[in-house]
Amino acid sequence: MIITEDPLLLDDLLRLCAAAGAEPHVAHSVPEQSGTAWVAGRDGADEVVGAVGGAGSFGGDRGGAGRADRGAGPGGAAGVGWEAAPLVLVGDDAARRVRGAPRRDGVFLVGRDLDDPLVWQRAVEIGAEEVLWLPDAEGRLVDRIADVVEGAGRPALTVGVIGGSGGAGASTLACALAVRAAASGERTLLIDGDPLGGGMDVLLGGEGAEGLRWPDFAGSRGRVGGDALAESLPELHALRVLSWDRGDRVVVPPAAMRSVVAAARRRGGVVVVDLPRRVDEGVAEVLAQLDLVLLVVPGELRAVAAAGRVAAGVRMVARDVRVVVRGRLPGGLDAEEVAELLRVPLAGEVPLEVGLPGRVAEGETPGARSRGALARFCDGFWERASVSSGQGVTG
């Protein structure tokens, strides 16, 4: 919902709504679910106005920004109320008329005059979450509107997996985590963040599957739609996967990496990202959006030494890093010792699964055997993650 009588501001807001794929309702005052609302008129007298018009109605032509369609009742498709609108953009010119409306989330005060010292007072009076100045905040506003269009709810529980040393089994664990999440009914997206890893689609047995790969997103700028992203990717084992192809290496700019991962998070459910050990600018953009990073380390001293260097780089960006110990070797270190040496909290230990490397080499998908040690670890991990995050991971 847009509330303003400023024709220039309205033009800008309608343009931004169009860019986000939204069809706004426009009013010059506060409509309610009942179809009427009390507002302060221009001369200070009370004024009763009707609810605004139907979906896609802008209350007349753009020259009549202050005119709202009248007479739509609460049950009609034509009406939208102050409390029902998912987002309310109040022009600074209309702040006085909105004062006294019921407090609610999702109200933004939009203005142009950076030098107006009273705008913050007006924002407090209407319960605005934020004051947005145009044109500087256009990108943020488009993102916020697009969130509403997509029906954005709780973001995905997003987990990165990174090897502490070569051959630690990080890609195998990332694949298994995604497979087990999808097997439990979660909306799942697996992202291959390592351009030199050979492709997660290969590990899933779908290198020939139709769909986009990372090089197709190299030119992405701005916002990527979460559902559109998922629908464009190969679907394997009931999950979507964004992988690298086998062509010449294409550099994906950090901004594109950030946009794609942000889109995956907005889609909700579960996102698993397989990460390279070297943290460059693009990987840092991904790490900053992860809820949790699992550092996979074999239980032996040399691997722990290498993992210490990897952990130092990851912890500079990631908010939560934990270690997963892959199988205790004869004469090696146990899981608690590895965690203590790295000074990283322990997420768990994956016992060695006899014959797993050979079966994966022959085409078995990691995590496909529900009774295997790897699958059991992954199932337990998601159960614990769901409880500790306070969100059911259900997409």
Side-chain angles (χ1 to χ4, degrees):
M1 175 185 291
I2 298 172
I3 301 178
T4 183
E5 285 189 318
D6 182 338
L8 295 179
L9 179 61
L10 178 59
D11 273 346
D12 283 339
L13 292 178
L14 291 177
R15 173 175 54 82
L16 298 178
C17 286
E23 296 183 344
H25 298 265
V26 178
H28 70 274
S29 54
V30 183
E32 286 185 331
Q33 297 291 62
S34 63
T36 60
W38 177 91
V39 294
R42 291 184 187 84
D43 58 358
D46 293 354
E47 178 183 1
V48 178
V49 299
V52 298
S57 170
F58 298 137
D61 60 20
R62 294 191 181 188
R67 196 168 63 244
D69 291 344
R70 311 260 176 148
V80 61
W82 166 266
E83 294 181 352
L87 185 70
V88 179
L89 306 179
V90 180
D92 189 31
D93 65 292
R96 183 175 63 87
R97 297 191 298 280
V98 172
R99 190 171 53 200
R103 292 301 174 102
R104 49 152 294 165
D105 294 333
V107 176
F108 291 81
L109 184 62
V110 186
R112 296 175 176 279
D113 187 0
L114 292 170
D115 298 323
D116 183 357
L118 298 180
V119 68
W120 306 106
Q121 178 181 336
R122 293 194 290 275
V124 171
E125 289 174 346
I126 68 172
E129 289 185 14
E130 191 174 344
V131 177
L132 299 175
W133 302 108
L134 299 184
D136 293 350
E138 285 192 356
R140 162 137 175 75
L141 188 50
V142 168
D143 283 349
R144 190 66 180 83
I145 296 168
D147 281 343
V148 171
V149 173
E150 289 188 35
R154 189 185 296 274
L157 181 58
T158 309
V159 177
V161 185
I162 187 168
S165 61
S171 295
T172 298
L173 178 58
C175 182
L177 283 169
V179 168
R180 297 312 303 166
S184 68
E186 307 297 347
R187 173 184 280 189
T188 306
L189 199 154
L190 174 61
I191 298 177
D192 184 356
D194 187 356
L196 303 180
M200 293 297 287
D201 54 353
V202 176
L203 200 53
L204 287 164
E207 59 270 27
E210 293 185 1
L212 301 184
R213 267 64 174 183
W214 264 120
D216 297 305
F217 294 94
S220 296
R221 296 292 184 274
R223 184 187 178 94
V224 177
D227 289 334
L229 168 68
E231 291 170 5
S232 73
L233 302 177
E235 184 173 12
L236 304 166
H237 299 275
L239 62 90
R240 299 284 181 167
V241 57
L242 174 55
S243 185
W244 295 87
D245 60 12
R246 264 60 61 191
D248 295 336
R249 183 179 176 186
V250 175
V251 177
V252 178
M257 299 279 283
R258 177 176 63 249
S259 295
V260 168
V261 175
R265 281 179 53 82
R266 287 195 303 272
R267 181 172 174 260
V270 167
V271 175
V272 180
V273 186
D274 181 40
L275 295 163
R277 295 199 307 279
R278 181 175 178 272
V279 179
D280 58 18
E281 189 177 353
V283 174
E285 290 284 2
V286 176
L287 286 170
Q289 298 191 62
L290 301 180
D291 298 306
L292 173 66
V293 177
L294 298 178
L295 178 66
V296 185
V297 184
E300 55 100 7
L301 189 58
R302 214 172 145 215
V304 172
R309 293 190 290 273
V310 176
V314 172
R315 294 175 80 175
M316 292 178 66
V317 185
R319 69 189 74 161
D320 189 354
V321 182
R322 306 185 191 188
V323 63
V324 172
V325 179
R326 285 296 303 270
R328 181 175 179 179
L329 303 174
L333 304 169
D334 63 29
E336 288 75 14
E337 289 173 320
V338 171
E340 184 176 353
L341 287 169
L342 292 172
R343 297 181 180 178
V344 175
L346 179 65
E349 180 178 6
V350 182
L352 292 174
E353 187 170 330
V354 178
L356 178 62
R359 296 198 306 271
V360 170
E362 293 173 359
E364 180 179 304
T365 300
R369 294 195 178 193
S370 60
R371 296 185 179 181
L374 180 59
R376 290 198 305 271
F377 170 84
C378 294
D379 290 343
F381 169 80
W382 288 125
E383 290 176 7
R384 295 190 301 273
S386 176
V387 171
S388 64
S389 69
Q391 68 181 70
V393 201
T394 302

